[in-house]
Structures are given as structure tokens and as C-alpha cells.
Amino acid sequence: MCGYCMCPGVSQRVSQHVSRRNFCRAALGTAASLSITTPAHAADRDAPVEPRIRLANTPADKRVIALTFDCCPGAFDARIATVLITQRIPATIFVTWLWMRRNPDALALLSAHPDLFSIQNHGELHIPPVLGDRTIFGIRVAGDLPTIRREIDRGAQAIRSATGSAPRWYRAATGFYTPSVIPEIEAMGCAIGG
């Protein structure tokens, strides 16, 4: 995408950055609004949301960010970790059991720097905590609450086993949650990492 909004009536100086996630959300929303013959399902009334959190008590005169990385089922890019370690930049790393199994050396590297890296829960199998029968970004959602609980609990168990520390945060695969599921996740002792 070009990064600039060229819509009639909108100043050309206004920059509009469109992420893949926002583009897909808009495209899905448009497709859903055009589909008037599809019957409404119960899960559609509880449509997935993408919670966001902001850092509290940041100085007004400074920009402050919290670096987070999702380690899904894929590989590990040691170049990123090397820069973070060399520059002493802290980050929160959300890992799945699948990723830990595939990247034991990477987990060892991150775990060797507990002053920099907080290892947190991204689930066992990278399944979005969304009710119903759908996919998000091509990933099949959990569908029901027992599957969501198992995904989160087994991810937490894997982290405890590998690091000796219990994760406090959970971030969903795809970043989307069914709103009614969020209190259930929090009741499991997890803070939601938006």
C-alpha cells in the first residue's frame, strides 16, 4: 500500500497507514455487510475483538514503548535477539509450545537473559480463543470454552516446565478474542496481552 490516503475531500497531507490486520478486518467487514442471506449465528453476536493496552504513567515529554514479540509455530531469527541482547533492550516474548519444541536453543538463549526477556504464554498450539466455527487469517479458532482453557493451560504448563517460571500474561493467536471469553481467561489468572 502507498501509505497515503488519496480519497476525494481528504487532505493529501494526511498519512493513512494500513496494516495487513486492519486491511483484512475492513475486507471481512465489507464482505460480511454484503452477505445478507447468511443466517446469523450465536457466535456472530459475540464477534471477535482485538484488545489494546497502553502503558500507564509514561512521561508526557517522552515516547515510551513496550517491545513484544510473538513466537508462533515458526522459526527463530537470532539477529533480532542478538540486537536486543547487545543493546540491552528488554522485551516480552510470547511463546507457544509448538515454538518451544521447534526452537530449544532459542528458548535457552532467551532464558539465559531473564533481566531482558520475559517469557509469556501464546498458547499450546496457536489457536485463537474465539467461539464459533470460523477462521481468522486462515487459522481455525478454538470454537468452545474447554478448547480455549486447554490451549492456555497447556501453554502455561509448557513454559513452567521449560523455564521454571509461571507466565502471567497471555496473548491470543491472531490477537483476537471473543469478548465473553476474556473474563474466563482472566479468571484463569492471566492478564491479557493486547
Side-chain angles (χ1 to χ4, degrees):
M1 307 225 111
C2 69
Y4 289 95
C5 179
M6 299 299 179
C7 300
V10 177
S11 168
Q12 291 189 7
R13 290 179 290 152
V14 176
S15 171
Q16 179 77 30
H17 298 286
V18 180
S19 68
R20 176 182 62 121
R21 184 173 284 170
N22 287 338
F23 175 78
C24 290
R25 186 182 305 139
L28 289 173
T30 302
S33 67
L34 296 175
S35 176
I36 56 174
T37 59
T38 304
H41 298 287
D44 291 338
R45 290 189 293 273
D46 205 7
V49 296
E50 185 179 18
R52 299 181 191 263
I53 57 176
R54 296 195 181 273
L55 297 174
N57 305 320
T58 58
D61 61 334
K62 294 185 179 179
R63 289 185 168 212
V64 180
I65 62 168
L67 284 181
T68 63
F69 295 91
D70 291 352
C71 295
C72 308
F76 176 68
D77 190 339
R79 297 172 300 177
I80 295 170
T82 301
V83 169
L84 296 174
I85 292 166
T86 341
Q87 297 298 315
R88 309 290 305 150
I89 301 170
T92 301
I93 314 295
F94 288 92
V95 301
T96 63
W97 170 81
L98 291 171
W99 182 86
M100 290 190 295
R101 184 182 70 175
R102 181 176 179 184
N103 300 282
D105 293 340
L107 181 61
L109 174 66
L110 297 174
S111 296
H113 298 279
D115 56 321
L116 292 178
F117 303 121
S118 173
I119 308 295
Q120 298 297 322
N121 192 357
H122 197 38
E124 178 191 27
L125 303 173
H126 201 250
I127 300 171
V130 173
L131 301 175
D133 182 25
R134 67 177 87 209
T135 60
I136 299 176
F137 303 128
I139 301 172
R140 170 92 23 223
V141 302
D144 58 40
L145 197 52
T147 304
I148 293 168
R149 286 188 179 124
R150 185 172 50 250
E151 168 76 359
I152 295 167
D153 188 50
R154 288 184 181 170
Q157 287 174 16
I159 292 168
R160 272 192 303 275
S161 294
T163 68
S165 297
R168 193 172 81 87
W169 291 87
Y170 169 74
R171 177 180 286 160
T174 72
F176 283 93
Y177 304 76
T178 295
S180 64
V181 170
I182 291 174
E184 299 287 337
I185 295 170
E186 291 170 335
M188 295 176 70
C190 302
I192 301 291

